[in-house]
Amino acid sequence: KMSEVSEVMTKADIKPKSMHRAKIWSDDVENLYRFQQAGYRDEVEYKQVKQVDKVECWPETGFVKKLQRRDNTFYYYNRQRECEDKDVHKVKVYVY
């Protein structure tokens, strides 16, 4: 049983090829901002670490609603935009 699990883990262990910083705000940048606040690269890494299939999102905006940090505390986000213009350049956009 253990070997199956580790096999799946290796396949799921996707690493980004490159990274650049966001220049303008978009829905994608907003969600990346939320993942990075919670201590993850992006949705891919979050799903790998937390072993979840789906991330909880706001139905109206599609933005991430809640994330579990590595220390198991939860981050809850508003349905409106949270990443301000002054923070957009801090967001890392990963390319796979």
Side-chain angles (χ1 to χ4, degrees):
K1 196 79 190 158
M2 187 58 203
S3 61
E4 275 178 50
V5 173
S6 51
E7 215 172 76
V8 171
M9 279 301 290
T10 357
K11 280 183 196 150
D13 201 21
I14 312 158
K15 293 275 185 284
K17 289 186 181 69
S18 66
M19 182 276 286
H20 61 273
R21 296 204 180 257
K23 291 190 176 48
I24 52 165
W25 184 90
S26 69
D27 290 0
D28 290 340
V29 169
E30 177 65 41
N31 279 333
L32 283 169
Y33 174 76
R34 296 174 184 215
F35 281 110
Q36 288 166 22
Q37 263 197 324
Y40 301 94
R41 231 178 11 233
D42 51 24
E43 190 173 342
V44 176
E45 187 185 39
Y46 181 76
K47 287 178 172 176
Q48 284 173 13
V49 173
K50 287 293 164 198
Q51 297 287 296
V52 293
D53 295 328
K54 225 158 111 321
V55 177
E56 224 174 294
C57 294
W58 289 104
E60 307 85 24
T61 57
F63 296 150
V64 173
K65 186 176 187 177
K66 102 177 171 195
L67 291 173
Q68 191 175 12
R69 292 188 352 189
R70 292 170 196 266
D71 62 4
N72 290 336
T73 55
F74 283 94
Y75 270 0
Y76 294 92
Y77 298 100
N78 297 324
R79 45 171 66 88
Q80 280 85 31
R81 173 178 174 174
E82 285 193 18
C83 179
E84 294 176 41
D85 282 332
K86 65 178 174 58
D87 294 325
V88 168
H89 73 279
K90 295 178 188 167
V91 177
K92 295 176 182 175
V93 182
Y94 292 92
V95 181
Y96 291 91

